[in-house]
Amino acid sequence: MIGGAGRGGPGSAGGDVVVENSQALLAAITASSTDAIISKDLAGRVTSWNAAAERLFGFSAADMLGQPLTRIIPPDRMEEEAQILTRVGGGERLTHFQTVRLAADGRRLDVSLTLSPVQDASGKVIGISKVVRDLSDLQRLNLELQQREALLQSILDTVPDGLVLIDQHGRVQSFSAAAQRMFGYAAAEVVGRDVSLLMPADQAAAHGGYLAHYLATGEKRIIGTARTVVARRKDGRTFPVELHVSDVAVGGNHSFVGFVRDLTERQNRDRRLAELQSELIHVSRLSELGQMVSALAHEVNQPLTAITNYASGIRRMLGPDSPPAMATAFEKLAAQAARARDIVQSLRGLVKKEARAPQEENLETMILETSSLALIGAGRAVGLKLRVAADATRALVDKVQIQQVLLNLMRNAVEAMAGAEIRTLTVATRRVRDRIEIMVSDTGPGLPRSVQERLFQPFVTTKAEGLGVGLSICRTIVQAHGGELSAGPAEGGGAEFRFTLPATAAGREPGGR
Ligand code: ADP
């Protein structure tokens, strides 16, 4: 039918049938158009009004046919109608004429008009047809689109990850602010160029092949997963990045969005953390050793004193007829034992720290400071839960020593949880009469049966590199504070250590810190 209309035209052979057909075609097109189509005669009276016009203006065809079109023209736009009639009546065509019209309910509609003269067979203008497009929807959509774009742009400008959008040929289409900072290129220097610009030579050569391979086979190598690759800055320096690529297929066209995260800083941080941790372990080893020496010295001192006393005693008991060599030997024995005691004593003095008077300390601060040391290296893998009861916020302690106890217990817990699925370290304080109890528990495998009985004895360890003195030192420190350290199973598996400390007057006030 369309072909028929196209072949025939006014004046062609058998014209009437063709004209009838083309009128039917026209009527069908008009009825189904989503744009309002209206025609009027030169007096300005409506001669046709399609379904879309009914929907847009809220007037039915029956309302409008034969009526002056001024019904839909706002009073302040009346002179427009006179102009339109003159210009289009004179044979002119007006396109994209933006104006305002009125709907039946009085709403003002932003519309765009395309007006054409309707001519009879002799070419005389007998009316005007117009296509009315509702701009309000378009404008709203446009505005929404602009807002979304602005939002997207501001998100892209703020996320610390760089974003690189490429088309299916590998040409960069968009290069975010973070990407610009990371790579040292301005967007204008990169957009339109091949993305291999951002890669070291060996990867750059292979990239085009990857892309073609993916498009041909759908086989993913990097798409959809994050991986660490090397990127190249404008100045030629290379740096490690984590790259995450996703494929955006719209209408059969593929684009690829790459999120790029600079790993330089993270790698530096990880290295620094590892250094700090090994320093920490070294320092805590030294302090453990120091305490061990002190404890050993104490133990050895007593037998040495006894030896000195016995030797001197025997020397005094020897009669005048005893061999003189024997008396000399006992004298020497006593002198050597006294010397050994002095050496041990001075060694003890060397490692013994000055005893400090206990101070009132804020437990939450102490615990948080210690946990940041204890969790070094464990990172986010271990979650810390801290519960400080309102009436257990302060205690009377030697801060350094109690922090050593906390550090030991927390490091043991972190080490115990290394292979556990859930890793939560809980530290809680509560008041038990005039004392504060601190509880450190973990979600590790719990205390090994083999050490349970002898946990607090020195040199008991299940660790290849352990000294096994940590818990014995902890108990000594806690006892020096007049408290007790005990261990047991935690709720839901894991180990739980509890120790008590003297509370302070201030700690007694609810919430007092
Ligand atoms: P080290 O840590 O050097 O082994 P410790 O005296 O601190 O010395 O600990 C002794 C042993 O107690 C550890 O080797 C370990 O077997 C056990 N232990 C300590 N804390 C925990 C814990 N939180 N969970 C499981 N076992 C633990």
Side-chain angles (χ1 to χ4, degrees), residues 166 170-173 185 188-197:
I166 63 172
R171 277 187 305 251
V172 177
Q173 296 184 309
Y185 281 110
E189 294 175 285
V190 181
V191 170
R193 296 184 63 184
D194 196 282
V195 68
S196 56
L197 181 73

Side-chain angles (χ1 to χ4, degrees), residues 190-223:
V190 181
V191 170
R193 296 184 63 184
D194 196 282
V195 68
S196 56
L197 181 73
L198 310 173
M199 306 169 188
D202 53 333
Q203 281 180 37
H207 187 261
Y210 286 153
L211 206 61
H213 180 81
Y214 171 68
L215 289 171
T217 63
E219 186 194 321
K220 294 175 180 172
R221 300 218 174 130
I222 181 162
I223 290 161

Side-chain angles (χ1 to χ4, degrees), residues 412-413 416 442 446-448 455 460-463 466-471 495 497:
N412 275 347
D442 60 61
L447 297 165
L455 207 53
V460 172
T461 181
T462 54
K463 298 172 192 167
L467 280 180
V469 293
L471 289 177
F497 288 82

Side-chain angles (χ1 to χ4, degrees), residues 340-383:
R341 203 186 53 194
D342 288 347
I343 292 173
V344 166
Q345 198 70 11
S346 62
L347 196 60
R348 213 177 156 201
L350 200 71
V351 294
K352 197 171 105 188
K353 295 197 200 83
E354 279 303 300
R356 283 165 295 251
Q359 305 267 322
E360 202 182 298
E361 300 287 353
N362 181 318
L363 291 171
E364 183 171 343
T365 314
M366 276 176 56
I367 294 169
L368 285 176
E369 279 174 7
T370 315
S371 68
S372 57
L373 281 179
L375 294 180
I376 283 176
R380 264 172 296 178
V382 171

